[in-house]
């Protein structure tokens, strides 16, 4: 009976009652699973889902095309299951989309696909053997380079979630450390750290991230640091206020009287009691980090081509919003919107489950 009445059980029960927040958690878990499986579930399993067929540029969702394998590539390393899941498998053949084919002797005569309203002259290729032809359905269509949009959206999950996770971890490390020091010691330490927090707080987040990106250079790993360094102030302000409120209570005074070190008192006795508010802010910061990464990628400072990024996909296709291919920008935009919304729902659900007072934190 005691285990059923434990604080964690009560928090979980309160959280589950919030259907929207629980749905947000399930959506995040589904995204995480898809991101982990990665290339195992993408139609295009090449690294970065970067197989291009320029003839198939901007094809509508659901289109199916027939392909012919025209040559085999030699010395292509076949990777194991884990490597294929993480990095993809380079194709060991070159293929072309076709509209018709016929076999005569040891040759294959095909008409390459060059457009819905045009017909190409027949080309001849050597007959390689069984399995020279295959079909592929582009369930969400193709982008301007003829790449499978569904595959790039799935791999883009990894960019958004990994940037969010690493940025939150960095912001938690910096924010909790500085906030705990300012709240516990007070005085000049608090004044100095608070001044630094206010300086960072006064800078627009996106401009700060861009400035840090300029200093560190463009790239995937630089985004982690840039976004993390711009989102720690929320955590630090929260932790400072919570520590200032808790450092005068009886169990902290008892720890001091027993001669425990300052670090032990903070880590073992104070921080566990403010874990709820910290988790709420971390969830909200996760959403903020995804939005910042999207903005960076849209401006060209984030994940560099050909790495698929939701922000980068919008950048490549936003001009098609006023044309008949608006889905090219709408689909990654919808993915961003739903992911950020799910994390905000999670933050609200955690706030209610932990019964965090509204004056201490806002989501």
């Amino acid at each position: 009976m005691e285990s059923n009445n434990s604080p964690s059980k009560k928090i979980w029960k309160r959280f589950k009652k919030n259907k929207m927040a629980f749905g947000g958690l399930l959506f995040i878990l589904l995204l995480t699973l898809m991101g982990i499986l990665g290339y195992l579930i993408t139609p295009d399993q090449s690294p970065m889902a970067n197989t291009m067929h320029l003839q198939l540029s901007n094809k509508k969702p659901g289109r199916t095309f027939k392909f012919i394998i025209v040559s085999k590539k030699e010395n292509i390393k076949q990777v194991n299951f884990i490597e294929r899941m993480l990095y993809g498998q380079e194709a060991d053949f070159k293929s072309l989309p076709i509209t018709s084919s016929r076999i005569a002797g040891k040759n294959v005569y095909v008409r390459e696909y060059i457009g819905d309203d045009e017909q190409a002259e027949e080309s001849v290729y050597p007959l390689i053997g069984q399995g020279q032809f295959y079909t592929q359905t582009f369930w969400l269509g193709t982008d301007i380079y003829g790449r499978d949009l569904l595959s790039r959206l799935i791999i883009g999950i990894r960019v958004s979630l990994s940037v969010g996770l690493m940025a939150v971890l960095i912001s938690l490390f910096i924010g909790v450390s500085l906030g705990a020091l300012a709240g516990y010691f007070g005085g000049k330490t608090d004044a100095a750290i608070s001044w630094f927090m206010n300086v960072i707080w006064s800078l627009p987040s996106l401009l700060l991230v861009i400035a840090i990106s300029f200093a560190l250079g463009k790239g995937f790993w630089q985004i982690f640091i840039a976004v993390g360094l711009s989102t720690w102030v929320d955590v630090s302000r929260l932790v400072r206020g919570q520590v200032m409120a808790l450092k005068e209570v009886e169990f902290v005074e008892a720890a001091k009287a027993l001669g425990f070190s300052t670090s032990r008192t903070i880590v073992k006795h104070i921080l566990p009691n403010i874990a709820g508010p910290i988790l709420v802010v971390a969830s909200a910061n996760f959403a903020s980090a995804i939005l910042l990464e999207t903005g960076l990628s849209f401006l060209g400072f984030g994940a560099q081509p050909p790495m698929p990024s939701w922000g980068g996909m919008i950048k490549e296709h936003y001009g098609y919003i006023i044309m008949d291919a608006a889905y090219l920008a709408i689909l990654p935009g919808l993915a961003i919107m739903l992911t950020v919304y799910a994390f905000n729902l999670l933050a609200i659900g955690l706030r209610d489950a932990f019964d965090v007072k509204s004056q201490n934190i806002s989501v």
Side-chain angles (χ1 to χ4, degrees):
M1 291 296 293
E2 289 184 5
S3 61
N4 290 331
N5 293 323
S6 65
S8 59
K9 292 276 187 180
K10 291 178 180 178
I11 291 169
W12 176 241
K13 284 182 178 179
R14 283 199 296 266
F15 180 80
K16 283 199 298 184
K17 288 180 181 178
N18 189 330
K19 301 300 183 185
M20 295 289 287
F22 190 68
L25 176 62
L26 292 179
F27 181 77
I28 293 166
L29 292 176
L30 176 62
L31 279 184
T32 304
L33 179 62
M34 292 173 67
I36 292 172
L37 293 176
Y39 294 99
L40 297 180
I41 60 173
T42 56
D44 180 4
Q45 296 189 350
S46 64
M48 307 291 181
N50 197 40
T51 301
M52 297 184 186
H53 295 288
L54 296 179
Q55 308 96 315
L56 305 181
S57 172
N58 296 350
K59 295 305 175 187
K60 292 288 192 293
R63 290 288 299 273
T64 300
F65 293 92
K66 186 177 181 181
F67 291 83
I68 179 176
I69 297 172
V70 296
S71 63
K72 292 283 188 179
K73 298 178 183 178
E74 297 181 359
N75 302 321
I76 299 297
K77 180 186 176 184
Q78 297 297 313
V79 299
N80 60 39
F81 176 83
I82 300 297
E83 285 183 292
R84 189 167 83 253
M85 180 176 71
L86 295 177
Y87 307 113
Q89 170 66 64
E90 185 179 353
D92 60 356
F93 60 84
K94 179 184 178 182
S95 63
L96 292 171
I98 60 174
T99 57
S100 63
S101 63
R102 62 183 179 88
I103 298 174
K106 294 185 178 180
N107 292 324
V108 180
Y109 294 85
V110 301
R111 293 185 188 274
E112 294 182 28
Y113 176 87
I114 57 174
D116 291 332
D117 302 321
E118 300 179 55
Q119 190 173 37
E121 297 292 327
E122 270 195 337
S123 303
V124 59
Y125 295 100
L127 182 62
I128 297 176
Q130 295 293 326
Q132 190 170 359
F133 299 95
Y134 68 93
T135 59
Q136 181 177 349
T137 300
F138 298 92
W139 297 108
L140 294 182
T142 60
D143 66 5
I144 56 175
Y145 301 107
R147 298 175 295 194
D148 181 55
L149 194 63
L150 175 60
S151 299
R152 293 183 65 77
L153 278 174
I154 292 173
I155 301 303
I157 294 172
R158 289 183 173 181
V159 175
S160 293
L161 292 188
S162 58
V163 167
L165 177 62
M166 294 304 297
V168 164
L169 291 178
I170 292 171
S171 66
L172 283 178
F173 177 76
I174 298 173
V176 170
S177 300
L178 292 181
L181 290 176
Y184 190 82
F185 290 107
K188 293 182 178 179
T189 303
D190 181 27
I193 294 176
S194 295
W195 174 84
F196 183 54
M197 284 193 293
N198 288 331
V199 169
I200 301 298
W201 182 265
S202 66
L203 298 173
S205 296
L206 189 57
L207 292 182
L208 179 61
V209 171
I210 291 174
I212 297 171
S213 298
F214 267 124
L216 299 176
K218 295 180 180 180
F220 185 52
W221 296 102
Q222 288 86 334
I223 307 176
F224 294 161
I225 302 172
V227 177
L229 290 177
S230 66
T231 55
W232 61 268
V233 178
D234 287 334
V235 181
S236 191
R237 287 163 62 98
L238 170 73
V239 171
R240 173 182 173 272
Q242 294 283 337
V243 170
M244 289 180 72
L246 281 177
K247 70 178 182 179
E248 305 296 338
V249 299
E250 290 81 356
F251 65 86
V252 176
E253 294 292 342
K256 292 178 183 177
L258 290 171
F260 292 155
S261 64
T262 301
S263 59
R264 174 169 177 173
T265 302
I266 294 175
V267 174
K268 295 284 189 181
H269 301 284
I270 295 179
L271 292 184
N273 284 280
I274 59 174
I278 292 175
L279 278 176
V280 176
V281 170
S283 300
N285 278 354
F286 213 117
S288 300
I290 291 174
L291 285 177
L292 283 173
E293 182 276 325
T294 302
L296 276 181
S297 295
F298 184 82
L299 295 173
F301 292 98
Q304 299 300 299
M307 179 178 286
S309 159
W310 291 342
M313 293 168 74
I314 295 176
K315 178 189 177 184
E316 291 174 348
H317 303 108
Y318 72 90
Y320 290 92
I321 291 177
I322 58 174
M323 299 171 67
D324 63 345
Y327 64 91
L328 291 172
I330 289 175
L331 287 175
L334 195 61
I336 295 165
M337 184 191 75
L338 290 175
T339 304
V340 171
Y341 184 53
F343 274 104
N344 283 330
L345 287 176
L346 178 63
I348 293 170
L350 289 173
R351 182 192 66 189
D352 295 341
F354 281 102
D355 196 23
V356 178
K357 294 180 180 179
S358 59
Q359 64 264 31
N360 290 333
I361 184 170
S362 61
V363 177

